[in-house]
C-alpha cells in the first residue's frame, strides 16, 4: 500500500442520482428556508456537505449485516456482537447502546453531574455542552489557545492546556469537577487532533486528582490518523492499534456512531466501571430503550459492529482524510482563507476574513453558507456565532473567535470530481463576496438555535 495516494479502497456497486437545480430555484429555496441550510430540502441540494453525520455509505458487508438483524426486544445477538466489538477495538468493557451521540450525553450528564459542577473540555460541542448545562454544570474550555486561531499551524490543536486545567482546579476544587470530557479530532476547532502525549498526561492528571476521564470518541479514527502522521513513535503503528491505545487511556466514552463508524443512526455510552454501567442501564430504559438496544434496531447494531471494524482500517482512513485534504489544498491554492492545518472531516472556510464587511453580529458565516448554496447548490453549514448560542448566565451571545463555514465530507460518498466542483463553487462565491449581505434573526430557538433558526437579509 502506498501512503501517498488516497485512492479509494473500494468500488461503487450502487448509486443514487442527484441533479443540479437552477439559480432561481435555489434563491427561492434559501428564502423559504430562512437562510438556514438546515431548513433546505435535500432534493434542492446538489452536493451535500452539511454534515458527515449519518450520511456515510455503508459497505456491502454492513448491508448484509442489516439482513442479520435479530429484532428480539431483549438480548438481541447483535447487541452482544456490538458489545464484544466495542471491547475488542475500543477497550471499554461495558456498552450501553443509544439512539445517537446526544442520547449517550444525556445519560452521562444526568448520572455524573450535580448542580453547580464544572466540566472542563477541549472546546465545546453544541449538544455536549447543552446536556452538561441542562444537568446543572458549567462548561469550561481548557483547549490550547492555538485552537482558537485559524492561522496557527500547531499539529495538535486539540490538546489540553494544563495551566487552564490547573487554574480551574485551584478555583473550584476537585470535588466540583465530576469528569473531564475530551473529544478526539475536535469538531469545533476544525477537526483538529489531540496528541497521545497530551492524552497520557491527562490520564496522570486525572489519577492524581481523582477525576474521571470521559472520551467523546466520535472521530477517534481520524485522530489516530493524525497521530500516525505527526507524532513521534507512531509511524509504524496501525490505526487500529492507535485507536485502542487512545481509548484505553479513558474511563468512559460517548460515541456518535453516525460519524467514524459509518452507520446512518446509532451511538453508545461505554465504560469500564461495573457500578457506573449498572446506573447507566437503569437510566437508559427511561430515555432510550432497554439496555440491550437503547433506541437501536438489532440490524442497526449489526451494521455498527461491522462499521467499527471497517473504520479503523489504514487504507480506509487514508482515503477518508486524503479526500478532505485534497479539497482543502485545492481551496487554499486559490488563496481562500481556511482553518489550518486542514482537519480530518471537513474544510472550514474563514468567514471573518472572507467577508470583512459583515460584523460578527450580522452572522457572516451563516450568510456565506447561504450564498454558497445559491451560487452552486453545495450545502454547507455555519460554525460560528450562531452555533455558539448564548451564555446561560448572562443571556448574551457567545462570541467565538472562529467564524467558519464547514464543508463536511461524508464518508465514501462523493468523488474527486465532486471535490473539484466544490472548490470551484467556493471560488465563484468569493468573486461575488461584496454582494453578500448580513443577516438578522426572525426566529431564534432557545436551545441549539443553529438547527432551526430563521433569518432575513439586512439591506
Ligand atoms: C455529532 C457529535 C456529537 C453528537 O452526536 P449525535 O449523534 O449528533 O447526537 C457529539 N460530539 C461530537 C464531537 C459530535 O461530532
Amino acid at each position: 500500500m502506498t501512503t501517498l495516494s488516497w485512492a479509494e479502497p473500494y468500488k461503487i456497486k450502487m448509486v443514487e442520482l442527484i441533479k443540479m437545480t437552477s439559480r432561481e430555484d435555489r434563491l427561492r429555496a434559501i428564502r423559504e428556508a430562512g437562510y438556514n441550510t438546515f431548513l433546505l430540502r435535500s432534493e434542492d441540494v446538489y452536493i451535500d456537505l452539511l454534515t458527515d453525520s449519518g450520511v456515510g455509505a455503508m459497505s456491502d458487508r454492513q448491508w448484509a449485516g442489516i439482513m442479520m438483524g435479530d429484532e428480539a426486544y431483549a438480548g438481541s445477538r447483535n447487541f452482544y456482537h456490538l458489545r464484544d466489538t466495542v471491547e475488542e477495538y475500543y477497550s471499554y468493557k461495558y456498552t450501553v447502546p443509544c439512539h445517537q451521540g446526544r442520547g449517550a450525553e444525556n445519560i452521562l450528564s444526568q448520572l455524573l453531574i450535580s448542580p453547580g459542577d464544572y466540566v472542563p473540555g477541549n472546546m465545546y460541542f453544541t449538544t455536549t455542552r447543552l446536556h452538561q448545562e441542562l444537568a446543572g454544570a458549567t462548561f469550561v474550555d481548557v483547549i490550547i489557545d492555538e485552537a482558537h486561531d485559524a492561522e496557527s499551524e500547531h499539529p495538535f490543536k486539540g490538546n489540553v492546556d494544563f495551566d487552564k486545567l490547573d487554574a480551574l482546579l485551584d478555583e473550584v476544587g476537585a470535588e466540583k469537577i465530576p469528569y473531564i470530557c475530551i473529544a478526539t479530532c475536535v469538531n469545533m476547532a476544525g477537526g483538529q487532533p489531540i496528541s497521545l502525549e497530551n492524552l497520557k498526561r491527562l490520564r496522570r492528571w486525572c489519577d492524581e486528582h481523582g477525576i474521571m476521564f470521559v472520551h467523546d470518541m466520535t472521530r477517534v479514527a481520524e485522530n489516530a490518523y493524525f497521530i500516525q502522521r505527526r507524532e513521534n513513535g507512531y509511524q509504524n503503528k496501525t490505526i487500529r492499534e492507535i485507536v485502542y491505545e487512545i481509548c484505553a487511556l479513558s474511563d468512559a466514552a460517548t460515541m456518535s456512531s453516525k460519524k467514524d463508524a459509518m452507520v446512518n443512526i446509532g451511538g453508545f455510552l461505554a465504560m469500564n466501571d461495573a457500578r457506573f454501567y449498572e446506573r447507566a442501564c437503569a437510566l437508559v430504559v427511561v430515555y432510550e430503550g432497554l439496555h440491550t438496544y437503547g433506541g437501536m434496531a438489532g440490524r442497526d447494531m449489526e451494521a455498527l459492529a461491522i462499521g467499527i471494524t471497517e473504520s479503523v482500517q489504514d487504507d480506509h482512513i487514508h482515503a477518508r482524510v486524503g479526500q478532505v485534504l485534497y479539497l482543502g489544498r485545492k481551496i487554499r491554492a486559490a488563496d481562500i482563507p481556511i482553518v489550518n492545518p486542514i482537519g480530518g472531516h471537513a474544510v472550514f472556510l474563514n468567514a471573518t476574513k472572507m467577508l470583512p464587511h459583515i460584523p460578527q453580529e450580522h452572522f457572516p458565516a451563516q450568510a456565506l453558507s447561504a450564498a454558497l448554496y445559491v451560487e452552486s447548490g453545495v450545502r454547507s453549514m455555519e460554525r460560528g456565532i450562531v452555533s455558539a448560542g448564548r451564555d446561560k448566565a448572562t443571556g448574551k451571545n457567545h462570541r467565538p473567535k472562529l467564524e467558519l463555514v464547514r464543508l463536511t465530507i461524508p464518508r465514501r460518498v462523493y468523488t474527486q470530481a465532486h471535490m473539484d466542483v466544490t472548490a470551484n463553487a467556493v471560488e465563484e462565491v468569493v468573486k461575488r463576496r461584496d454582494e453578500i449581505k448580513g443577516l438578522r434573526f426572525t426566529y431564534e430557538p432557545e436551545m441549539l438555535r443553529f438547527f432551526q433558526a430563521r433569518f432575513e437579509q439586512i439591506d
Side-chain angles (χ1 to χ4, degrees), residues 60-135:
D60 51 358
R61 292 169 66 244
Q62 285 179 289
W63 279 107
I66 289 273
M67 299 308 293
M68 302 293 283
D70 169 6
E71 305 304 343
Y73 187 89
S76 160
R77 80 168 162 261
N78 312 120
F79 164 72
Y80 294 102
H81 184 198
L82 172 60
R83 185 198 67 178
D84 293 347
T85 306
V86 169
E87 188 175 4
E88 186 182 341
Y89 285 79
Y90 297 149
S91 81
Y92 306 109
K93 272 208 205 80
Y94 304 103
T95 298
V96 182
C98 295
H99 77 284
Q100 59 184 85
R102 71 198 71 179
E105 291 171 344
N106 173 37
I107 290 164
L108 174 86
S109 304
Q110 287 205 34
L111 284 178
L112 298 184
I113 291 170
S114 308
D117 281 348
Y118 294 83
V119 181
N122 54 347
M123 204 173 268
Y124 85 99
F125 185 74
T126 52
T127 58
T128 316
R129 183 179 67 192
L130 178 65
H131 280 295
Q132 291 163 0
E133 290 178 353
L134 289 172

Side-chain angles (χ1 to χ4, degrees), residues 38 40 61 79-80 100 148 188 214 238 281 319 375 447:
F38 275 100
L40 290 168
R61 292 169 66 244
F79 164 72
Y80 294 102
Q100 59 184 85
H148 294 280
M188 302 304 283
V214 176
T238 63
C281 288
E375 185 63 42
M447 290 181 279

Side-chain angles (χ1 to χ4, degrees), residues 327-348:
L327 175 64
R329 285 178 186 142
K330 191 141 187 145
I331 293 174
R332 198 165 57 193
D335 276 333
I336 292 164
I338 61 172
V339 174
N340 286 314
I342 297 161
H345 68 299
V347 176
F348 291 76

Side-chain angles (χ1 to χ4, degrees), residues 1 12 20 46 53 63 129 171 187 222 270 319 340 377 400 416 421 440:
M1 189 195 73
I12 295 167
M20 188 58 166
Y46 176 43
S53 179
W63 279 107
R129 183 179 67 192
E171 197 187 319
N187 192 348
E222 289 160 7
N340 286 314
Q416 185 164 339
V421 169
R440 64 176 153 245

Side-chain angles (χ1 to χ4, degrees), residues 32-315:
E32 279 173 15
Y35 298 89
N36 185 346
T37 51
F38 275 100
L39 301 179
L40 290 168
R41 289 175 186 232
S42 152
E43 284 189 327
D44 293 330
V45 172
Y46 176 43
I47 297 175
D48 202 349
L49 308 183
L50 181 71
T51 173
D52 62 340
S53 179
V55 291
M58 291 207 294
S59 66
D60 51 358
R61 292 169 66 244
Q62 285 179 289
W63 279 107
I66 289 273
M67 299 308 293
M68 302 293 283
D70 169 6
E71 305 304 343
Y73 187 89
S76 160
R77 80 168 162 261
N78 312 120
F79 164 72
Y80 294 102
H81 184 198
L82 172 60
R83 185 198 67 178
D84 293 347
T85 306
V86 169
E87 188 175 4
E88 186 182 341
Y89 285 79
Y90 297 149
S91 81
Y92 306 109
K93 272 208 205 80
Y94 304 103
T95 298
V96 182
C98 295
H99 77 284
Q100 59 184 85
R102 71 198 71 179
E105 291 171 344
N106 173 37
I107 290 164
L108 174 86
S109 304
Q110 287 205 34
L111 284 178
L112 298 184
I113 291 170
S114 308
D117 281 348
Y118 294 83
V119 181
N122 54 347
M123 204 173 268
Y124 85 99
F125 185 74
T126 52
T127 58
T128 316
R129 183 179 67 192
L130 178 65
H131 280 295
Q132 291 163 0
E133 290 178 353
L134 289 172
T138 301
F139 165 80
V140 181
D141 188 6
V142 295
I143 204 165
I144 56 172
D145 285 340
E146 286 88 340
H148 294 280
D149 174 3
E151 315 274 301
S152 162
E153 294 279 355
H154 194 292
F156 291 105
K157 282 173 148 181
N159 279 359
V160 167
D161 181 333
F162 284 86
D163 289 339
K164 293 183 187 172
L165 199 52
D166 286 331
L168 175 69
L169 184 74
D170 286 346
E171 197 187 319
V172 305
E175 58 293 343
K176 286 271 174 215
I177 306 177
Y179 63 94
I180 175 162
C181 179
I182 292 301
T184 32
C185 244
V186 182
N187 192 348
M188 302 304 283
Q192 303 294 330
I194 179 168
S195 72
L196 258 166
E197 185 191 16
N198 198 258
L199 286 160
K200 286 178 192 162
R201 184 168 168 201
L202 197 62
R203 176 72 265 169
R204 292 195 296 274
W205 188 91
C206 288
D207 287 341
E208 205 174 302
H209 302 291
I211 292 169
M212 198 171 151
F213 179 172
V214 176
H215 175 201
D216 180 341
M217 62 176 297
T218 299
R219 293 190 174 78
V220 66
E222 289 160 7
N223 199 112
Y225 172 83
F226 289 118
I227 287 174
Q228 192 189 52
R229 282 301 171 101
R230 296 178 188 165
E231 193 161 355
N232 277 341
Y234 289 93
Q235 274 66 33
N236 295 320
K237 296 228 173 184
T238 63
I239 297 296
R240 181 177 169 178
E241 287 166 340
I242 299 170
V243 164
Y244 191 92
E245 188 172 340
I246 294 171
C247 293
L249 287 167
S250 63
D251 300 301
T254 56
M255 172 67 152
S256 169
S257 42
K258 303 170 70 172
K259 281 91 170 220
D260 259 3
M262 292 179 288
V263 289
N264 300 124
I265 193 72
F268 55 79
L269 174 62
M271 68 283 280
N272 294 320
D273 182 73
R275 173 81 188 110
F276 182 34
Y277 174 61
E278 196 178 277
R279 293 176 65 217
C281 288
L283 202 58
V284 80
V285 288
V286 179
Y287 292 102
E288 306 280 317
L290 192 70
H291 61 287
T292 58
Y293 75 85
M296 294 180 79
R299 54 180 172 271
D300 291 330
M301 290 190 282
E302 190 61 26
L304 171 53
I306 298 166
I308 289 170
T309 68
E310 293 178 1
S311 74
V312 299
Q313 300 304 317
D314 280 60
D315 54 359

Side-chain angles (χ1 to χ4, degrees), residues 389-442:
R390 292 179 185 272
D391 185 275
K392 71 166 182 157
T394 66
K396 290 220 172 82
N397 281 322
H398 289 292
R399 294 178 58 99
K401 289 211 183 85
L402 299 177
E403 179 71 23
L404 309 173
V405 168
R406 188 180 76 181
L407 300 163
T408 337
I409 315 300
R411 293 166 183 79
R412 307 193 290 206
V413 171
Y414 289 114
T415 65
Q416 185 164 339
H418 289 124
M419 298 300 107
D420 291 340
V421 169
T422 301
N424 288 342
V426 174
E427 284 185 60
E428 288 306 311
V429 84
V430 167
K431 284 185 196 152
R432 293 168 175 247
R433 68 169 102 190
D434 296 337
E435 296 166 30
I436 301 175
K437 293 174 182 157
L439 301 170
R440 64 176 153 245
F441 281 118
T442 58

